[in-house]
């Protein structure tokens, strides 16, 4: 074993579909090909978007595919205390502020800074935001190359939502650091989120992992396959063909004779032959 730690972090908003199987497989192979550890974290911090039974269904599908993880699965729903500690530290560093703007008032653009220096006393606070400051945030993605965003285009983002739930960026950064994750391999739809996460890592004093964003699978209309839009769950009866197709999608040219092989045989070949440089670069889906 090396000190490499990779992870797969599905949200239980539905069963695993082919797109999430691709992300799971890529992060698994990137870890195992370096004799690293691979962990699974269930991102169940958004109960309104959860589907009952989805967490277990996802874990069962991973097992059927032979994508076996190290260590116990962690659940974000059990980690509120840790997220509160991080919020407390950001608050003590004067990096947070309460915001009373509604989504409608903000109309979807980057946050204009309305409540940054105090909010209208007649209105009640809704969300907690972080002050992001000025300048660029950049990183070198193993697949996508240099990614750079201006902080003004990101805007002071939400850490705790109006419904009291923790925001994704906060939870993901705290958990990746707590698990000692050294490299994040996930879908390219999250590539820009990485800048917010790197910002939080810096202000919380956490190391920044390496990042590799793999292409996402699109449906016939060019939209991302997504649990929320009810993408078909993968066929648990045919794990070998799911793995074979996912390897093909990831540019790994699996041997034709592997079509009829067992999941274990396919993964054994894939770990030995995995080459991240063969994974296609794909710009963020619109
Ligand atoms: N939970 C997120 C999702 O299912 C992935 C988060 C991540 O990999 O950072 O889309």
């Amino acid at each position: 074993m090396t000190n490499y730690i990779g992870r797969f972090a599905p949200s239980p908003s539905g069963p695993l579909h082919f797109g999430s199987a691709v992300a799971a497989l890529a992060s698994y192979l990137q870890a195992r090909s370096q004799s690293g550890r691979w962990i699974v974290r269930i991102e169940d911090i958004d109960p309104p978007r959860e589907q009952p039974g989805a967490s277990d269904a996802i874990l069962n599908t991973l097992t059927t595919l032979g994508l076996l993880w190290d260590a116990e699965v962690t659940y974000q729903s059990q980690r509120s205390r840790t997220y509160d500690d991080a919020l407390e530290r950001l608050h003590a560093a004067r990096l947070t502020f309460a915001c009373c703007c509604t989504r409608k008032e903000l109309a979807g653009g980057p946050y204009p800074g309305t409540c940054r220096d105090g909010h209208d006393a007649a209105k009640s606070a809704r969300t907690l935001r972080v002050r992001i400051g000025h300048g660029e945030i950049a990183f070198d993605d193993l697949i996508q190359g240099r990614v750079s965003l201006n902080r003004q285009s990101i805007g002071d983002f939400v850490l705790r939502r109006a419904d009291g739930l923790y925001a994704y960026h906060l939870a993901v950064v705290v958990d990746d650091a707590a698990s000692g994750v050294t490299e994040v391999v996930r879908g390219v739809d999250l590539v820009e989120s990485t800048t917010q996460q790197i910002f939080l890592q810096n202000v919380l004093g956490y190391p920044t992992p390496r990042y590799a964003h793999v292409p996402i699978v699109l449906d016939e209309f060019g939209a991302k396959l997504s649990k929320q839009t009810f993408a078909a769950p993968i066929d648990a009866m045919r794990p070998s063909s799911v793995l074979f197709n996912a390897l093909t999608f990831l540019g790994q040219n699996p041997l034709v004779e592997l079509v009829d092989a067992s999941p274990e045989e396919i993964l054994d070949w894939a770990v030995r032959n995995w080459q991240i440089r063969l994974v296609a670069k794909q710009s963020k889906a619109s």
Side-chain angles (χ1 to χ4, degrees):
M1 287 262 171
T2 57
N3 63 0
Y4 184 107
I5 302 181
R7 51 63 155 191
F8 177 54
S11 304
S13 49
L16 208 69
H17 53 74
F18 182 65
S20 28
V22 164
L25 179 64
S27 70
Y28 175 90
L29 293 176
Q30 181 70 355
R32 294 296 192 229
S33 63
Q34 296 176 66
S35 308
R37 293 166 66 77
W38 187 67
I39 60 175
V40 172
R41 174 173 76 232
I42 299 287
E43 302 213 313
D44 53 352
I45 39 158
D46 194 350
R49 279 170 58 183
E50 260 166 54
Q51 198 188 86
S55 299
D56 287 346
I58 291 171
L59 295 174
N60 286 337
T61 307
L62 289 176
T63 307
T64 308
L65 293 172
L67 301 177
L68 304 179
W69 54 92
D70 301 307
E72 237 176 274
V73 173
T74 52
Y75 291 84
Q76 290 190 324
S77 57
Q78 296 167 9
R79 296 184 41 77
S80 308
R81 282 261 290 279
T82 323
Y83 306 143
D84 279 336
D85 288 348
L87 282 181
E88 192 46 52
R89 287 174 52 206
L90 294 172
H91 178 70
R94 297 178 190 278
L95 283 167
T96 61
F97 64 93
C99 172
C100 61
C101 300
T102 61
R103 204 174 287 204
K104 206 163 146 199
E105 282 165 345
L106 297 175
Y111 183 68
T114 322
C115 302
R116 196 180 289 146
D117 301 310
H119 67 80
D120 183 346
K123 293 190 187 170
S124 51
R126 294 167 49 81
T127 58
L128 191 70
R129 290 181 183 271
V130 67
R131 275 176 231 285
I132 194 165
H134 302 281
E136 297 283 315
I137 302 177
F139 66 98
D140 291 305
D141 189 275
L142 287 179
I143 298 167
Q144 308 297 330
R146 186 86 175 155
V147 178
S148 173
L149 276 190
N150 187 288
R151 292 180 203 223
Q152 251 153 323
S153 71
I154 301 172
D156 296 339
F157 58 92
V158 171
L159 298 176
R160 202 177 52 223
R161 303 174 359 182
D163 55 12
L165 296 174
Y166 303 98
Y168 156 68
H169 294 306
L170 177 76
V172 93
V173 161
V174 168
D175 287 344
D176 281 341
S179 304
V181 168
T182 57
E183 192 168 277
V184 171
V185 180
R186 60 184 175 191
V188 75
D189 52 320
L190 291 168
V191 71
E192 290 186 354
S193 299
T194 305
T195 52
Q196 275 127 298
Q197 293 169 20
I198 289 174
F199 168 78
L200 284 179
Q201 287 151 6
N202 290 343
V203 293
L204 285 164
Y206 299 150
T208 290
R210 286 182 304 277
Y211 287 92
H213 288 86
V214 300
I216 53 173
V217 183
L218 304 176
D219 66 17
E220 68 265 40
F221 307 108
K224 181 196 169 199
L225 282 192
S226 144
K227 296 175 204 136
Q228 274 132 308
T229 51
F230 308 107
I234 61 169
D235 187 352
M237 303 301 286
R238 303 177 59 223
S240 296
S241 76
V242 172
L243 289 170
F244 188 89
N245 291 338
L247 284 172
T248 305
F249 181 84
L250 289 165
Q252 303 299 303
N253 307 312
L255 299 175
V256 189
E257 48 271 36
L258 287 171
V259 172
D260 300 316
S262 67
E264 290 70 26
E265 285 165 329
I266 297 177
L267 288 175
D268 183 58
W269 177 89
V271 168
R272 283 185 286 106
N273 291 280
W274 171 248
Q275 289 188 65
I276 198 163
R277 64 173 185 82
L278 295 179
V279 178
K281 185 171 164 170
Q282 174 195 51
S283 57
K284 192 174 78 78
S286 51

